[in-house]
Amino acid sequence: QVQLQESGPGLVKPSQTLSLTCTVSGGSITTGYYDWSWIRQPPGRGLEWIAYINYSGIRVYRPSLKSRTSISRDTSKNQFTLQLSSVTPEDTAVYYCARRDDGFGSYDYWGQGTQVTVSS
């Protein structure tokens, strides 16, 4: 029922800012006890959680990325966004948005993912 879809540029130059938007349908990002997360998978590596914003607007970041990560939301559009500044080729990955049950801890809905390549 709930659907998530990532959007944004697929190519970003080094030192610039990566910006992605997740559009949610079938459920409100402000209703229910859910975290709305950004997760990525670099080539040849496992899934890496980046950040979440929960139903009440609380933001939590991966410590190693916190200094250059910003997550926000537009409740009128039922969207949440990721901005990752000062990108390097190591930020190249497939980026996903996903919903997590705050009580159970599982990710029950995922977007299809979007490839982001950092290259000059």
Side-chain angles (χ1 to χ4, degrees):
Q1 186 66 37
V2 176
Q3 293 183 310
L4 295 82
Q5 184 172 351
E6 305 89 348
S7 62
L11 182 64
V12 184
K13 294 182 177 180
S15 81
Q16 295 189 338
T17 297
L18 178 159
S19 183
L20 297 172
T21 297
C22 183
T23 300
V24 179
S25 62
S28 173
I29 62 173
T30 63
T31 302
Y33 300 108
Y34 298 106
D35 302 326
W36 302 90
S37 294
W38 286 101
I39 301 160
R40 68 183 182 182
Q41 185 169 32
R45 296 169 59 186
L47 295 168
E48 180 183 71
W49 171 78
I50 301 169
Y52 74 72
I53 184 165
N54 80 355
Y55 57 94
S56 67
I58 295 173
R59 299 168 174 85
V60 179
Y61 300 94
R62 185 181 188 89
S64 62
L65 299 174
K66 185 176 181 179
S67 65
R68 58 190 185 98
T69 305
S70 178
I71 189 168
S72 60
R73 65 181 182 175
D74 185 336
T75 58
S76 68
K77 297 180 179 179
N78 213 39
Q79 296 176 330
F80 63 102
T81 63
L82 172 72
Q83 293 191 348
L84 183 66
S85 65
S86 303
V87 298
T88 74
E90 290 194 355
D91 293 310
T92 294
V94 177
Y95 284 75
Y96 300 91
C97 55
R99 187 181 84 167
R100 184 177 70 93
D101 188 318
D102 196 25
F104 189 69
S106 62
Y107 293 95
D108 54 358
Y109 291 97
W110 295 71
Q112 65 182 3
T114 185
Q115 173 71 46
V116 178
T117 300
V118 179
S119 176
S120 60

